[in-house]
């Protein structure tokens, strides 16, 4: 695999290393993250049969939920496009720390991405805590082209995928913490198929 990557792409900026571990799948990944100080896990989803989709989808969700590192999930058959717009869904209930969003902020700042903060309304008015968390996000994205969007309540999976398609979103970014938008999305949509139905890369930031 490494020989193929090096001969096909020949990018001098990339160095590839292989690792073989006879351990629990998640434990092996977390150990490597610690040993190599990994900044980002990149996973592809693949498989043609229903069984393959279930297995690979399950592994992807396990990595998202249990690995101690941000994860970038690349959908099956995804064709690379230059990233310009990122959508970041939030309910504004979660209190963030600057480090929680560091990878998103760094990427957006370095490559001039626009970040669209998406809030699916549960009520017409935000609580004071929600307002404070929204203000914190506004401060985090000060040096980045960003906007705040309010969408009417509905099935979370339907709302977010519709928004991605209709607005030509290139990347979906989410937090993996409890009570997050991601957790609510998994509750409302079968986890085995989520990463296959999504048409854009998914960046999951751990906390």
């Amino acid at each position: 695999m490494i020989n193929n990557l090096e001969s096909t792409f020949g990018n001098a900026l990339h160095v590839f290393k292989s690792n073989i571990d006879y351990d629990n799948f998640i434990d092996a990944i977390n150990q490597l993250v610690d040993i190599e100080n990994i900044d980002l896990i990149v996973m592809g989803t693949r498989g043609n049969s229903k069984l393959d989709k279930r297995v690979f989808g399950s592994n992807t969700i396990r990595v998202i939920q249990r690995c101690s590192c941000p994860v970038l999930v690349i959908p099956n058959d995804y064709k690379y496009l230059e990233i310009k717009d990122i959508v970041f869904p939030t309910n504004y209930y979660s209190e963030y720390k600057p480090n929680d969003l560091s990878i998103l902020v760094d990427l957006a700042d370095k490559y001039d991405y626009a970040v669209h903060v998406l809030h699916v309304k549960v009520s017409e008015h935000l609580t004071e805590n929600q307002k404070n968390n929204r203000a914190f996000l506004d401060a985090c994205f000060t040096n980045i082209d960003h906007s705040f969007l309010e969408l009417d309540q509905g099935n979370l999976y339907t709302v977010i995928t519709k928004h991605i398609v209709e607005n030509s979103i290139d990347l979906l970014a989410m937090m993996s913490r409890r009570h997050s938008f991601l957790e609510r999305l998994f509750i409302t949509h079968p986890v085995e198929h989520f990463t296959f139905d999504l048409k854009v890369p998914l960046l999951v930031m751990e906390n």
Side-chain angles (χ1 to χ4, degrees), residues 25-41 43 60-72 99-100 103 176 204-207:
F25 183 57
I26 301 299
D27 290 343
I29 294 175
N30 280 330
Q31 289 170 14
L32 191 62
V33 166
D34 291 337
I35 293 172
E36 299 288 348
N37 294 316
I38 300 299
D39 300 305
L40 180 67
I41 297 170
M43 288 189 70
T60 302
I61 300 305
R62 287 170 60 207
V63 170
I64 288 174
Q65 293 178 330
R66 296 175 53 194
C67 284
S68 54
C69 182
V71 181
L72 179 64
N99 192 53
D100 293 340
I103 189 167
S176 64
V204 180
M205 297 165 285
E206 55 89 29
N207 60 294

Side-chain angles (χ1 to χ4, degrees), residues 124-202:
E124 290 300 319
H125 303 286
L126 298 179
T127 65
E128 286 302 313
N129 184 56
Q130 285 179 300
K131 291 178 181 178
N132 290 336
N133 291 330
R134 184 186 186 279
F136 179 82
L137 290 175
D138 195 19
C140 279
F141 298 135
T142 296
N143 298 321
I144 297 167
D145 179 12
H146 68 284
S147 60
F148 292 90
L149 307 173
E150 299 284 337
L151 297 183
D152 292 332
Q153 185 177 12
N155 178 281
L156 293 177
Y157 178 79
T158 301
V159 169
I160 191 170
T161 52
K162 180 180 179 182
H163 182 81
I164 288 173
V165 172
E166 292 182 350
N167 295 275
S168 299
I169 299 299
D170 305 301
L171 177 70
L172 170 61
M174 292 186 176
M175 298 298 299
S176 64
R177 58 169 42 129
R178 289 187 61 194
H179 309 303
S180 67
F181 192 99
L182 181 64
E183 185 177 67
R184 291 169 61 204
L185 186 59
F186 285 161
I187 291 173
T188 60
H189 192 76
V191 298
E192 296 89 349
H193 304 293
F194 171 71
T195 53
F196 295 92
D197 293 341
L198 194 64
K199 303 304 181 185
V200 298
L202 168 66

Side-chain angles (χ1 to χ4, degrees), residues 6-20:
E6 291 177 339
S7 62
T8 302
F9 300 101
N11 191 330
L13 298 178
H14 296 168
V15 176
F16 299 96
K17 296 170 61 177
S18 63
N19 186 79
I20 298 175

